[in-house]
């Protein structure tokens, strides 16, 4: 089937965008190939352009310090050719922090800083942000980084407006890439401050020394674990890009300065021996390896060097260890202590460290990118803080700096509050929609439209262009991957408006279907609908024709194909999926702006909005993958729009339905319905609804009472007058999306047996009827079920990757759709606790099986992870 012209043009413009940008994208820093030895080479500046981030420097040292940095030198003094003037320092961000950006991978950044601590140069070597490949020009990130030039590492820098009264310097964000720039700001400040503290630009923090509370008690290992006096740091192979189910390394560590802990762990003689070797202000702790083959001491250690695998962090300071800071540990005396394959005692020799305050043990290593083989810095940490009862007066009060996402919520509290109020108000108004529709008529819809048009205006102006909270299919893909692989709350909380919007969307989709978001609150959908209404006012109504119903019924499946295509691509390449998601015009319209993008993007948006003058919401109905993603769970919404029996023979609502979501039998397809509520207005309109108008005229001519209209959409009955016409009574029931169905287990009394039978029905797709008619398919299904079960067991044992089990689970879901359509062709309608069943069409069954198996699969994934069987 060929696409009609009104869809062919925007899609052609979309693919033109991809072709025009492909070559340029490949030449930039997106997924740039970095030298394999970048993380380990002593001569960093032989591999990366240090000169670009430190103009004026003529030479650079090899890597030094921990975390590593490079010294930048000026030209030698002619009078003393051997001398070099120290100008500052160059650092590679991934040597210091692996803070992930929106893609889940760090932005590899080269940073130059002078000897006063001022940033003098910033260069992005590699990033994995697809939005900076096509969605936003990469120059936007360069411009963002250039804002640091001249600012000091001592400054308090935040993304957002400056606050002079709080000594906060603000940075202009990148529209549509909030999470990326927040992560980049954290990278800049962590990298700069880490090196600045090492070289003395920033003075170390002074903390009161610990005062220990002694009880002379001998603790067992179990007691120490319960008390939090010993802590575990475990790294799994998947965290470093390797295969396997056994730990990559498992460490236990704890304080040895506290007399009770030292006596319990080392015994009396060992404790006294350690104390005799500590100087005033020194602090000792132990580390043992109980699992894994990786060494925490490092295989490359040489006398006079440093232990490059272990680091202690307290506040913003990092402490590293030389050979003189290490003592042998030959075993632990605490009862029940585990055996170890490597052990040692490290001594912190810094007056700024205090055991009374929280600190972290960091294991430093490399993470391997499976796709490219590239190694990058990885930092794994575990927090340690002595319990209250071990310190005189208990733990001191510690004011931890707010996380970046917390600062965002605080600084935009007013806007966030207004946005949350808007979402709540729209939800309440829509929940009371029947009161509004009863106050409206087909000639006066303002009781409904007043609220709906206000929601559109606020959605376009405040939500779309104001706080730029346009939801996107990329967020669906990101959330899906995060749920299965690595959920990070801070990643999603960094954009409070999108976070709140998705709570609203998830709740309302399951209560009412996609229509409340898509029809009332989606900024682009609201803009498209508003343009259609403006076109009517401008006199274009004669050309505003609906798409022929037969063509509409075919085109509406296009958005589902786009959604499933993006979802499938994302399982292999999230970056490519985000590139292809440019089929959404949202970034160009609201996040970046038409004027900030190349002309094909603007043309794509202009064509879509131009079509909206003549076709009601063409993008929403036929292209939007986000709408398709939300349409599937809409199959199981709890509350639908009302229908009456006569709707099966009356076409009044269908003729006026802009979404073309009402079929020939008067049934509403809630996957397509955009909740304009015009049909609900007619439902109780005594003059607009043909069955009610006919009944009203009969009662008026017979002199009968005109009673109020009941919830069933009819006048409260008078015995002398039948409520339903004979023709309508013989037709299908339009109150159900499809014909009613009664499963065998649901025919009897409801109780515990019924619940168990329903649970079995969800899990067991086979049936007697299917066995009689499709025996070969049923047998094949048993084999597939066994194979999938084995696949889950292999995944639990670490012999099969998450991607493989997703592939198996997808195959099983496809089979389940086929087998249920041949034997159990029904789904539940409305709230899950009700026993309303109906016949399933293919989309019903696909939605049911897909959503059910997604929940089951996610539950199994989370359970396996909770049991430590998946990393």
């Amino acid at each position: 089937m060929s696409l009609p012209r009104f869809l062919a043009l925007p899609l052609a413009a979309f693919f033109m965008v991809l072709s025009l940008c492909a070559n340029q994208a490949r030449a930039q820093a997106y997924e740039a190939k970095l030298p394999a030895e970048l993380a380990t080479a002593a001569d960093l500046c032989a591999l990366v352009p240090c000169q670009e981030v430190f103009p004026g420097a003529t030479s650079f040292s090899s890597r030094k310090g921990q975390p590593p940095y490079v010294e930048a030198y000026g030209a030698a003094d002619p009078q003393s050719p051997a001398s070099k003037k120290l100008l500052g320092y160059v650092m590679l961000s991934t040597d210091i922090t692996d803070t992930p950006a929106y893609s889940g991978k760090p932005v590899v950044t080269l940073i130059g800083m002078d000897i006063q601590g001022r940033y003098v140069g910033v260069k992005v070597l590699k990033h994995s942000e697809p939005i900076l490949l096509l969605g936003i020009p990469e120059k936007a990130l360069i411009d963002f980084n250039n804002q640091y030039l001249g600012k000091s590492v001592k400054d308090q820098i935040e993304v957002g407006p400056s606050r002079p009264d709080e000594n906060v310097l603000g940075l202009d964000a990148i529209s549509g890439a909030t999470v990326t720039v927040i992560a980049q700001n954290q990278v800049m400040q962590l990298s700069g401050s880490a090196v600045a503290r090492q070289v003395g630009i920033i003075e170390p923090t002074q903390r009161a020394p610990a005062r220990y509370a002694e009880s002379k008690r001998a603790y067992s290992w179990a007691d120490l674990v319960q008390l939090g006096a010993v802590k575990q740091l475990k790294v799994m192979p998947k965290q470093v890009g390797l295969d396997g189910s056994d730990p990559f390394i498992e460490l236990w560590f704890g304080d040895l300065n506290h007399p009770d802990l030292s006596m319990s762990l080392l015994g009396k003689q060992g404790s006294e021996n350690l104390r005799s070797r500590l100087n005033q202000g020194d602090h000792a702790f132990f580390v043992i390896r109980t699992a894994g083959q990786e060494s925490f001491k490092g295989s490359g250690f040489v006398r006079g060097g440093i232990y490059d695998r272990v680091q202690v962090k307290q506040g913003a300071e990092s402490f590293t260890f030389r050979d003189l800071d290490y003592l042998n540990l030959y075993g632990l005396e605490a009862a029940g202590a585990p055996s170890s394959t490597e052990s040692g005692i490290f001594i912190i020799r810094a007056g700024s460290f205090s055991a009374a305050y929280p600190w972290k043990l960091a294991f430093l290593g490399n993470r391997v990118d499976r796709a490219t083989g590239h190694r990058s810095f990885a930092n794994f940490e575990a927090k340690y803080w002595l319990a209250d009862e071990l310190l005189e007066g208990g733990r001191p009060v510690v004011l931890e700096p707010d996380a970046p996402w917390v600062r965002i919520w605080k600084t935009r509290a007013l806007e966030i509050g207004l946005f949350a109020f808007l979402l709540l108000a729209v939800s309440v108004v829509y929940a009371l929609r029947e009161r509004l529709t009863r106050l409206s008529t087909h000639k006066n819809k303002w009781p409904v439209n007043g609220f709906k048009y206000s929601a559109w205006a606020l959605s376009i102006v405040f939500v779309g262009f104001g706080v730029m909270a346009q939801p996107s299919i990329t967020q669906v893909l990101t959330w899906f991957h995060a749920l299965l692989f690595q959920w990070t709350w801070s990643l999603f909380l960094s954009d409070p408006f999108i976070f709140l919007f998705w709570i609203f969307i998830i709740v309302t989709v399951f209560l009412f279907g996609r229509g409340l978001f898509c029809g009332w609150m989606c900024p682009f959908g609201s803009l498209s609908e508003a343009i259609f209404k403006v076109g009517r006012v401008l006199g274009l109504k004669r050309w505003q024709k609906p798409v022929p119903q037969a063509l509409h019924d075919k085109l509406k499946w296009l958005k589902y194909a786009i959604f499933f295509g993006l979802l499938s691509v994302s399982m292999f390449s999230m970056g490519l999926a985000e590139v292809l998601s440019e089929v959404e015009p949202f970034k160009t319209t609201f996040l970046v702006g038409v004027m900030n993008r190349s002309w094909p993007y603007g043309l794509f948006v202009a064509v879509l909005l131009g079509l909206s003058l003549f076709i009601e919401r063409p993008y929403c109905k036929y292209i939007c993958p986000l709408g398709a993603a939300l349409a599937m769970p809409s199959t199981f919404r709890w509350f639908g729009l009302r229908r009456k029996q006569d709707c099966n023979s009356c076409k009044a609502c269908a003729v006026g339905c802009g979404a073309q979501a009402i079929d020939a039998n008067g049934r509403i397809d809630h996957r397509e319905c955009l909740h304009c509520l015009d049909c609900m207005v007619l439902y109780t309109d005594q003059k607009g609804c043909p069955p009610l108008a006919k009944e009203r005229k009969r009662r008026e001519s017979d002199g009968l009472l005109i009673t109020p209209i009941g919830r069933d959409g009819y006048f409260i009955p008078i015995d002398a007058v039948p409520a339903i016409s004979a023709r309508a009574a013989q037709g299908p029931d339009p109150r159900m999306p499809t014909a009613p169905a009664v499963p065998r287990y649901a025919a009897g009394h409801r109780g515990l047996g019924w619940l168990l039978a329903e649970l079995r029905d969800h899990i067991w797709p086979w049936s007697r009827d299917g066995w009689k008619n499709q025996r070969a398919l049923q047998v094949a299904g048993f084999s597939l079920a066994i194979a999938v079960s084995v696949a889950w067991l292999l995944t639990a044992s670490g012999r099969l990757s998450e991607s493989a089990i997703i592939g198996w689970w997808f195959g099983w879901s496809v089979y389940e759709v086929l087998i249920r359509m041949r034997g159990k062709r029904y789904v539940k309608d409305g709230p899950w606790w009700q026993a309303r069943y109906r016949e399933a069409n293919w989309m019903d069954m696909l939605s049911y099986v897909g959503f059910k198996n997604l929940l089951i699969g996610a539950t199994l994934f989370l359970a396996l992870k909770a049991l430590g069987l998946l990393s």
Side-chain angles (χ1 to χ4, degrees):
M1 180 187 68
S2 60
L3 289 176
R5 292 182 180 178
F6 77 89
L7 278 177
L9 186 55
L11 288 179
F14 164 62
F15 286 112
M16 188 186 301
V17 168
L18 296 184
S19 62
L20 287 174
C21 297
N23 292 332
Q24 180 184 6
R26 280 194 290 269
Q28 298 175 337
Y30 179 78
E31 293 293 6
K33 185 175 179 58
L34 299 178
E37 64 276 20
L38 182 61
T40 57
D43 191 356
L44 173 67
C45 294
L47 303 176
V48 294
C50 295
Q51 184 75 42
E52 292 187 29
V53 299
F54 212 112
T58 58
S59 62
F60 300 90
S61 72
S62 59
R63 271 187 170 114
K64 55 177 58 181
Q66 188 64 26
Y69 62 91
V70 167
E71 291 180 338
Y73 300 105
D77 186 345
Q79 303 299 324
S80 179
S83 68
K84 294 181 180 180
K85 183 180 180 181
L86 177 64
L87 299 181
Y89 312 92
V90 174
M91 64 211 79
L92 183 67
S93 65
T94 48
D95 279 346
I96 302 167
T97 176
D98 58 351
T99 301
Y102 193 75
S103 63
K105 298 179 181 180
V107 176
V108 184
T109 310
L110 196 64
I111 304 166
M113 179 178 68
D114 67 17
I115 56 176
Q116 282 79 41
R118 293 188 297 264
Y119 296 108
V120 296
V122 185
K123 181 177 178 62
V124 173
L125 302 179
K126 177 182 178 180
H127 70 84
S128 302
E129 305 297 279
I131 194 171
L132 299 177
L133 174 63
L134 286 178
I136 297 172
E138 198 172 74
K139 184 178 180 298
L141 182 58
I142 297 172
D143 292 340
F144 173 80
N145 285 332
N146 286 341
Q147 296 178 86
Y148 289 93
L149 303 184
K151 292 181 172 65
S152 172
V153 70
K154 300 177 183 179
D155 294 331
Q156 187 176 349
I157 303 172
E158 293 184 4
V159 177
S162 296
R163 302 197 301 279
D165 54 326
E166 301 177 38
N167 295 319
V168 173
L169 296 180
L171 299 176
D172 294 331
I174 301 175
S175 298
T178 305
V179 177
T180 301
V181 296
I182 289 175
Q184 184 68 356
N185 183 52
Q186 194 170 359
V187 165
M188 293 292 297
Q189 295 197 73
L190 287 175
S191 301
S193 61
V195 174
R197 281 188 172 83
Q198 282 193 74
V199 299
I201 296 174
I202 297 178
E203 295 295 327
T205 304
Q206 297 300 318
R207 301 180 181 89
R211 293 181 298 146
Y212 300 115
E214 298 183 49
S215 65
K216 305 299 184 182
R217 174 184 173 184
Y219 293 97
S220 69
W221 184 262
D223 294 334
L224 293 168
V225 172
Q226 185 176 8
L227 189 61
V230 293
K231 289 286 189 178
Q232 182 191 57
L233 193 165
K234 182 162 67 173
V235 181
M236 299 301 292
K238 287 288 172 55
Q239 294 175 269
V240 292
L242 302 175
D243 293 320
S245 58
D246 296 329
F248 178 72
I249 189 170
E250 181 182 69
L251 304 177
W252 288 89
F253 65 100
D255 182 279
L256 288 177
N257 270 43
H258 193 290
D260 292 346
L261 301 184
S262 178
M263 189 71 70
S264 300
L265 289 162
L266 302 180
K268 182 178 180 180
Q269 183 176 353
S271 178
E272 292 175 351
N273 182 46
L274 173 64
R275 191 174 300 276
S276 69
R277 303 178 69 172
L278 295 179
N279 299 320
Q280 182 70 27
D282 288 353
H283 191 90
F285 67 96
F286 79 92
V287 182
I288 62 172
R289 181 184 66 192
T290 55
Q293 299 301 314
E294 188 70 9
S295 169
F296 66 78
K297 297 178 184 178
S299 58
F301 176 77
V302 294
R303 182 168 296 277
I306 64 170
Y307 291 92
D308 61 353
R309 300 292 182 87
V310 174
Q311 205 176 85
V312 165
K313 298 181 179 182
Q314 190 168 56
E317 295 177 271
S318 299
F319 305 96
T320 55
F321 306 97
R322 306 174 71 87
D323 54 349
L324 297 177
D325 306 323
Y326 171 81
L327 299 174
N328 289 322
L329 175 63
Y330 298 105
L332 297 175
E333 298 293 328
S339 59
S340 62
T341 54
E342 188 177 42
S343 58
I345 296 174
F346 292 95
I347 303 171
I348 304 171
R349 305 185 192 275
S352 62
F353 180 87
S354 172
Y357 292 81
W359 54 277
K360 296 176 182 178
L361 176 70
F363 174 76
L364 311 176
N366 290 318
R367 180 184 289 115
V368 180
D369 188 316
R370 296 192 184 199
T372 64
H374 174 69
R375 292 179 177 270
S376 60
F377 172 82
N379 188 338
F380 306 97
E381 301 175 345
K383 186 177 180 180
Y384 187 93
W385 198 359
L386 287 173
D388 276 316
E389 62 193 81
L390 298 176
L391 296 167
E392 285 188 12
R395 291 173 170 176
V397 176
V398 176
L399 297 177
E400 297 281 357
D402 290 333
W405 69 265
V406 174
R407 293 199 294 270
I408 291 290
W409 283 71
K410 287 182 176 179
T411 56
R412 306 194 70 178
L414 177 60
E415 294 168 279
I416 293 170
L418 292 173
F419 183 67
F421 176 77
L422 172 62
L423 297 179
L424 180 62
V426 169
S427 301
V428 171
V429 168
Y430 186 80
L432 301 174
R433 61 193 179 280
E434 289 194 42
R435 298 188 183 183
L436 293 177
T437 56
R438 283 177 179 267
L439 295 174
S440 306
T441 67
H442 70 293
K443 292 185 177 180
N444 179 22
K445 299 177 183 177
W446 275 105
V448 171
N449 288 347
F451 285 101
K452 185 169 62 176
Y453 291 173
S454 297
W456 288 355
L458 290 170
S459 175
I460 297 167
V461 178
F462 175 59
V463 180
F465 291 108
V467 299
M468 294 181 289
Q470 169 69 66
S472 166
I473 190 61
T474 59
Q475 293 147 12
V476 175
L477 301 178
T478 301
W479 285 41
F480 176 76
H481 281 252
L483 180 66
L484 293 181
F485 299 115
Q486 183 178 359
W487 183 268
T488 306
W489 277 108
S490 59
L491 180 66
F492 303 109
L493 289 167
S494 295
D495 194 330
F497 301 101
I498 290 295
F499 183 79
L500 291 176
F501 217 162
W502 272 105
I503 294 175
F504 166 84
I505 291 169
I506 292 170
V507 171
T508 58
V509 161
F510 282 102
L511 286 176
F512 310 117
R514 66 176 276 217
L516 181 54
F517 164 71
C518 293
W520 289 49
M521 288 302 296
C522 174
F524 190 83
S526 299
L527 180 61
S528 178
E529 180 78 3
I531 288 174
F532 182 80
K533 300 295 185 186
V534 169
R536 181 167 294 179
V537 173
L538 295 176
L540 301 178
K541 185 175 181 178
R542 72 180 78 173
W543 293 289
Q544 291 180 333
K545 304 292 184 181
V547 176
Q549 191 65 38
L551 180 59
H552 166 84
D553 290 339
K554 294 180 175 65
L555 290 178
K556 69 181 181 182
W557 300 111
L558 178 61
K559 60 180 177 290
Y560 296 99
I562 294 173
F563 166 64
F564 282 115
L566 291 173
L567 183 61
S568 300
V569 170
S570 74
M571 300 311 301
F572 301 98
S573 171
M574 188 65 182
L576 178 59
E578 294 207 31
V579 171
L580 295 175
S581 69
E582 279 293 328
V583 71
E584 291 181 325
F586 307 151
K587 297 186 188 77
T588 303
T589 307
F590 300 109
L591 305 183
V592 182
V594 175
M595 302 307 294
N596 296 323
R597 306 197 75 181
S598 54
W599 67 266
Y601 291 96
L603 175 62
F604 184 51
V605 172
V607 170
L608 290 174
L609 296 181
L611 286 172
S612 298
L613 283 168
F614 307 99
I615 301 171
E616 193 167 352
R617 292 182 181 245
Y619 176 80
C620 305
K621 292 192 288 189
Y622 306 123
I623 301 175
C624 184
L626 177 61
L630 300 180
M632 296 182 68
S634 297
T635 304
F636 315 107
R637 83 257 159 256
W638 285 7
F639 307 107
L641 301 180
R642 294 193 178 279
R643 300 273 80 196
K644 63 187 74 172
Q645 185 67 34
D646 275 287
C647 291
N648 63 21
S649 57
C650 173
K651 309 299 181 186
C653 290
V655 170
C657 180
Q660 298 177 252
I662 303 177
D663 67 12
N665 292 320
R667 290 168 167 159
I668 297 176
D669 183 350
H670 285 276
R671 287 185 292 266
E672 303 300 320
C673 177
L674 298 177
H675 291 203
C676 67
L677 298 184
D678 285 357
C679 62
M680 287 289 289
V681 171
L682 279 177
Y683 184 77
T684 55
D685 187 349
Q686 299 181 16
K687 297 181 179 179
C689 176
L692 290 183
K694 182 179 179 181
E695 173 72 2
R696 177 183 56 80
K697 291 176 181 179
R698 288 184 59 184
R699 291 191 179 194
E700 288 176 346
S701 64
D702 293 344
L704 298 174
L705 179 67
I706 304 296
T707 58
I709 298 171
R711 288 175 60 83
D712 62 356
Y714 294 101
F715 290 103
I716 293 176
I718 298 175
D719 292 340
V721 181
I724 303 173
S725 67
R727 177 186 174 190
Q730 295 175 0
D733 186 354
R735 291 167 294 187
M736 296 280 279
T738 54
V742 182
R744 284 193 176 93
Y745 71 86
H749 178 70
R750 296 182 66 189
L752 179 60
W754 175 81
L755 287 174
L756 293 175
E758 178 162 302
L759 178 61
R760 175 183 175 277
D761 193 63
H762 287 309
I763 298 173
W764 189 263
W766 298 282
S767 65
R768 297 176 186 175
D769 295 337
W771 181 259
K772 293 177 182 178
N773 301 326
Q774 301 286 337
R775 183 167 299 184
L777 189 62
Q778 301 274 349
V779 171
F782 281 112
S783 303
L784 182 59
I786 294 171
V788 172
S789 300
V790 170
W792 276 106
L793 294 174
L794 291 174
T795 303
S797 64
R799 301 178 184 178
L800 201 64
S801 68
E802 287 96 333
S803 298
I805 189 60
I806 290 172
W808 276 101
W809 203 231
F810 178 79
W812 165 256
S813 299
V814 172
Y815 168 79
E816 187 175 348
V817 170
L818 297 174
I819 202 66
R820 284 185 179 273
M821 288 298 287
R822 285 164 172 76
K824 292 186 174 182
R825 192 168 184 163
Y826 52 82
V827 292
K828 185 174 285 191
D829 192 71
W832 63 269
W833 60 84
Q834 294 182 354
R836 294 184 60 191
Y837 301 89
R838 59 183 179 84
E839 292 181 2
N841 57 37
W842 283 98
M843 195 61 203
D844 290 329
M845 190 60 71
L846 186 64
S847 299
Y848 162 71
V849 171
F851 185 70
K852 171 179 71 74
N853 286 352
L854 174 62
L855 291 181
I856 294 174
T859 301
L860 289 172
F861 262 103
L862 296 176
L864 291 175
K865 287 184 179 181
L867 294 172
L869 299 174
L870 285 178
S871 60

